Amino acid sequence: MKNFKSIILGLGMLLPMSLWAENYTWNQLEQIRDSYETRREEAFALLKGKKLVREKVIPPIFSDGSDFSRHYSYSLIDYAFKCFWLGEDIKGANAALLENANYYINYPRAYSDKDSFYWAADELCKILEFYGSNGTKKKGLIKKNVEERILLMMWQYSKQQSKVAKADYKTTNTWHVDESENHHVQRFYAAWHFAKFLMAHPEYAGKKYDDGYTVEQHYEAWNSYIKEWIRERGRKGLFVEMANDSYGLETLKGVYNFYDFGDNELKALTKDLLDLYWAAWAQEQMYSVRAGAKSRVYPYEAHKGMTPFRKMAWYYLGTNEINAPYNNLYTLITSEYRMPLLVMDIALNVEDRGDYVIEQRRLGRAEKGFFTPPNYHVIENDGLLRYTYCTPEFMAGSFMCEALPYEDWVLISSQNRWAGVVYADEADARIYAHCKTGRDNRAYNQFWCVQEKGAMIFHKLDTVACSRGAHEMRMWISKAGLTNRVEREGWIFLETKGTYTAMRCVGSTYKINEEKNGYWVVADNWFAPFVVEVAPKLKYANYDEFQHAIVSTKCELAGNRVVYRSLTNDELSLPVDYKGLPTVNGCNVDITPTWGMNSPFVKSVFDSGIVKIEKDGRSMTLNFNRKL
């Protein structure tokens, strides 16, 4: 079996789910890593001969915006990237890049629209680095006249939009965020990389932007800012838009270009940041589906396990399904960055990891008056505790915090928070807490939680004092993976191949509404707490024994608290009047611990800048204080 698996890994083919259960040796991990390029070429081959399908420019999606051209640009730049990479239709690739540049040169209003222009900037810049007049792969594939128009577009955007004052990290410590975290990064990434090209061109090198600073001064300012931005994320727990599988790609795409095209110091810092991100991902996923609490997860994606990061896992780990590049995945998969073998070990050897807890201190609190865009001010030492309980059969994750007014959180932290359980059986197998949203699919500071191991309590926050846009409290049960539903003595029971789950709406009746992919359990009282507990099947003789154990537990409203004593004999409580902190075994949950990340695999003291990644006697240390 192991020899057969080695052949599969060497060819870069799909790993069947059954092969995940085995432990991968270090040599096999090396084979997976070394076959990265093979998998990448297999993926690019899926695009061979594909014709350009031009997306349309559509009317503005917001009243004060420009015509929406994001997908139009992606279609043109995607086509150019795949043509240059595969060596086909070079004339058409140049025409696509020229068309994209001319659109913005002739419609400069789009430069100031946050939803259109810079979304594909990372792809465009990588194409220019690879195939421009100084290209590192095939120099000169981009025609001179096309490159000149691209540079003119970069100049028009940069002279208007880039501001040296925004790069002053000494006053903001990089925790003042424009619009949202991913927008903020996309903006300073574009400012950095555009300036890098412009300062190397004689026509632009000596020119000044609208703020009076030269192109080179802008590059140096942003280069310094980016290094400090990376250090701060390493010191203080990564991103405010926590564990987001969609916006996370938009945040990281330019970071990959810092690694590939930055100076030596920036490259070293970026490698540490990417290593930390993927290590945090690796320990908190099963079969490339990430678990744990998240923010900014829209209702239409909350039930889905197929994300860009799961797709990236095919390239790095050879798992799941082959997938063709699209949009910003072009930037990631053509990078020289590779997941470290130690991180691959954590990611692939799911059974070997056993049962463990991940605790992370995350920022998200707002300075008074700065919780909404366009300028968030994030408090640097306060936020929430992110907690995930991990087993080979399931991962349960939530966040713990105070019941604060929504103005006390930056919206990029409080928007559409996700908490619940992900199961090993299928990518979409999950249950999670949710407050119904309005037409804009947004709700803020909807609920709060307490958790210990596989037991959780969810409670809707006060609609007037704490939340915005949050309607009735409900719980999602996916059709994928979860079967054999039983209702007994106020509890709802479910099972997967490897787990039993119990759910209860405390102090209220409920109804179950069927949808295409699952069911909503809706409390008749909007503010009724929900209790959930998950356990591996191997701990119980059968389903009936699990049910009997659950109905025998303490689960009640006692005074101003909902109290649940779990199957592991831990007592969880949450104040239903929002006064005080959640408690576990009579002690307040510490939401500002001394450590920033704490698990068997990733450890750091908050704000220390030193992160240790370890497994089975092997370790690596990341240093976010380094200055080369």
Side-chain angles (χ1 to χ4, degrees):
M1 183 64 171
K2 288 187 181 294
N3 289 336
F4 175 69
K5 185 168 72 172
S6 296
I7 294 170
I8 288 176
L9 300 181
L11 293 175
M13 294 171 64
L14 172 67
L15 274 168
M17 187 74 85
S18 61
L19 292 182
W20 276 84
E22 295 190 36
N23 283 339
Y24 293 85
T25 67
W26 206 252
N27 286 340
Q28 288 169 339
L29 295 173
E30 288 176 337
Q31 290 176 43
I32 298 171
R33 182 195 60 191
D34 294 345
S35 60
Y36 179 97
E37 285 78 11
T38 301
R39 288 189 294 279
R40 182 172 64 190
E41 293 316 305
E42 289 172 356
F44 266 104
L46 299 175
L47 301 174
K48 194 169 183 62
K50 297 283 187 182
K51 302 298 184 183
L52 171 62
V53 178
R54 186 180 284 99
E55 297 287 345
K56 294 181 180 179
V57 177
I58 62 175
I61 57 176
F62 294 107
S63 59
D64 59 345
S66 69
D67 290 344
F68 184 71
S69 56
R70 184 194 306 175
H71 299 305
Y72 168 71
S73 284
Y74 272 139
S75 66
L76 295 170
I77 294 172
D78 282 8
Y79 183 74
F81 207 136
K82 79 98 178 177
C83 286
F84 286 133
W85 189 272
L86 293 171
E88 61 181 31
D89 191 17
I90 303 304
K91 181 178 179 181
N94 275 280
L97 292 181
L98 183 61
E99 180 180 336
N100 182 74
N102 283 338
Y103 173 82
Y104 292 105
I105 290 168
N106 296 324
Y107 187 52
R109 181 184 173 191
Y111 293 144
S112 59
D113 187 333
K114 63 185 175 63
D115 291 302
S116 289
F117 175 70
Y118 47 62
W119 287 77
D122 55 294
E123 279 188 85
L124 178 62
C125 289
K126 180 154 273 191
I127 291 172
L128 203 55
E129 292 277 9
F130 282 170
Y131 306 110
S133 56
N134 296 307
T136 57
K137 287 200 175 291
K138 287 191 178 181
K139 184 185 299 186
L141 279 188
I142 299 176
K143 291 182 179 179
K144 184 177 179 181
N145 69 305
V146 175
E147 185 168 333
E148 293 298 324
R149 295 297 282 180
I150 293 171
L151 291 172
L152 175 59
M153 178 191 70
M154 290 180 174
W155 164 254
Q156 286 184 349
Y157 170 82
S158 298
K159 72 183 292 290
Q160 174 194 121
Q161 295 296 319
S162 183
K163 308 291 182 185
V164 163
K166 288 281 189 179
D168 181 13
Y169 63 84
K170 293 177 182 177
T171 57
T172 69
N173 217 22
T174 75
W175 290 105
H176 290 188
V177 178
D178 286 342
E179 291 292 345
S180 71
E181 200 163 37
N182 73 87
H183 278 288
H184 185 65
V185 178
Q186 290 184 81
R187 283 176 173 169
F188 69 65
Y189 162 74
W192 174 85
H193 215 155
F194 288 5
K196 181 177 182 290
F197 287 121
L198 293 169
M199 73 180 187
H201 193 283
E203 184 175 342
Y204 300 105
K207 287 188 174 182
K208 293 182 178 180
Y209 290 177
D210 289 352
D211 67 352
Y213 291 93
T214 65
V215 176
E216 185 173 0
Q217 286 173 317
H218 274 257
Y219 175 80
E220 294 299 335
W222 285 116
N223 204 43
S224 296
Y225 178 91
I226 290 161
K227 292 173 183 178
E228 191 61 23
W229 178 86
I230 291 173
R231 292 185 183 105
E232 281 293 297
R233 272 69 203 162
R235 291 166 181 158
K236 294 170 182 169
L238 290 171
F239 307 126
V240 177
E241 292 175 348
M242 57 184 179
N244 188 290
D245 289 320
S246 177
Y247 287 131
L249 174 64
E250 313 304 343
T251 297
L252 285 182
K253 61 190 182 185
V255 172
Y256 272 77
N257 280 351
F258 297 148
Y259 176 81
D260 287 325
F261 307 115
D263 61 39
N264 289 339
E265 183 177 53
L266 181 54
K267 186 181 183 75
L269 284 167
T270 300
K271 183 182 185 305
D272 280 355
L273 183 66
L274 291 173
D275 287 350
L276 175 56
Y277 186 90
W278 283 110
W281 175 89
Q283 68 176 348
E284 199 174 45
Q285 55 75 46
M286 295 178 298
Y287 318 116
S288 308
V289 177
R290 188 169 193 170
K294 304 172 177 68
S295 61
R296 302 202 72 196
V297 180
Y298 292 100
Y300 51 80
E301 60 190 6
H303 64 280
K304 297 177 181 178
M306 178 58 77
T307 70
F309 291 97
R310 190 171 191 265
K311 293 178 180 181
M312 272 304 298
W314 184 80
Y315 295 89
Y316 284 138
L317 303 173
T319 57
N320 316 314
E321 307 82 11
I322 185 172
N323 57 90
Y326 67 96
N327 296 357
N328 310 107
L329 284 179
Y330 279 101
T331 301
L332 274 65
I333 69 171
T334 58
S335 173
E336 291 299 313
Y337 174 80
R338 298 290 180 270
M339 189 182 288
L341 291 173
L342 180 57
V343 176
M344 293 172 64
D345 186 7
I346 297 168
L348 281 170
N349 288 321
V350 176
E351 296 283 342
D352 188 45
R353 296 186 315 219
D355 299 351
Y356 56 97
V357 170
I358 301 169
E359 295 175 295
Q360 298 172 344
R361 178 173 167 179
R362 289 298 182 96
L363 302 186
R365 291 284 305 279
E367 290 182 17
K368 188 173 179 60
F370 290 98
F371 68 99
T372 59
N375 193 356
Y376 296 106
H377 290 190
V378 183
I379 295 175
E380 293 178 42
N381 59 4
D382 203 358
L384 53 80
L385 178 69
R386 190 170 175 272
Y387 180 104
T388 312
Y389 180 61
C390 306
T391 77
E393 298 84 13
F394 71 92
M395 290 184 173
S398 65
F399 56 89
M400 290 179 265
C401 59
E402 295 179 83
L404 298 168
Y406 77 89
E407 295 96 336
D408 285 7
W409 299 98
V410 290
L411 296 187
I412 52 175
S413 170
S414 70
Q415 182 189 8
N416 293 12
R417 286 179 180 155
W418 188 102
V421 185
V422 168
Y423 298 89
D425 302 81
E426 297 182 42
D428 294 343
R430 62 195 56 208
I431 63 173
Y432 59 86
H434 177 73
C435 289
K436 188 175 181 180
T437 60
R439 288 186 177 180
D440 65 355
N441 289 312
R442 292 172 171 85
Y444 302 89
N445 209 28
Q446 314 100 299
F447 58 90
W448 62 333
C449 326
V450 63
Q451 179 180 354
E452 182 68 16
K453 300 185 180 70
M456 297 176 284
I457 303 175
F458 305 99
H459 181 219
K460 177 177 166 57
L461 289 166
D462 182 85
T463 305
V464 176
C466 296
S467 298
R468 192 174 98 185
H471 300 285
E472 65 264 32
M473 184 74 181
R474 53 190 189 166
M475 298 292 298
W476 173 260
I477 300 172
S478 69
K479 289 181 179 177
L482 289 153
T483 61
N484 199 11
R485 189 176 82 223
V486 173
E487 296 179 62
R488 175 179 173 184
E489 298 185 44
W491 289 89
I492 300 170
F493 294 97
L494 304 146
E495 66 175 318
T496 69
K497 292 176 184 177
T499 70
Y500 297 126
T501 298
M503 178 190 301
R504 182 166 184 170
C505 179
V506 184
S508 174
T509 53
Y510 62 88
K511 53 184 175 289
I512 300 178
N513 300 328
E514 183 175 6
E515 303 229 346
K516 178 181 178 181
N517 298 310
Y519 304 89
W520 286 115
V521 181
V522 185
D524 292 322
N525 174 359
W526 280 22
F527 295 92
F530 280 92
V531 170
V532 172
E533 183 152 18
V534 192
K537 280 185 174 179
L538 56 83
K539 294 189 176 181
Y540 296 90
N542 51 49
Y543 198 15
D544 187 68
E545 182 180 272
F546 172 77
Q547 293 175 37
H548 178 75
I550 285 287
V551 297
S552 301
T553 60
K554 176 183 178 182
C555 183
E556 63 184 9
L557 288 168
N560 69 334
R561 287 183 173 263
V562 56
V563 179
Y564 177 64
R565 182 165 290 279
S566 72
L567 296 174
T568 55
N569 203 34
D570 294 299
E571 186 169 278
L572 291 70
S573 81
L574 202 60
V576 292
D577 61 0
Y578 314 116
K579 296 177 181 178
L581 284 162
T583 69
V584 174
N585 296 324
C587 298
N588 286 343
V589 173
D590 184 2
I591 59 175
T592 54
T594 56
W595 41 259
M597 294 190 171
N598 186 28
S599 78
F601 309 109
V602 184
K603 293 182 171 69
S604 69
V605 173
F606 185 79
D607 203 20
S608 69
I610 304 298
V611 182
K612 189 171 184 180
I613 301 170
E614 56 190 347
K615 183 178 183 289
D616 297 337
R618 291 186 172 97
S619 67
M620 55 189 290
T621 300
L622 312 179
N623 183 358
F624 291 95
N625 302 315
R626 75 170 80 196
K627 295 187 178 182
L628 303 182

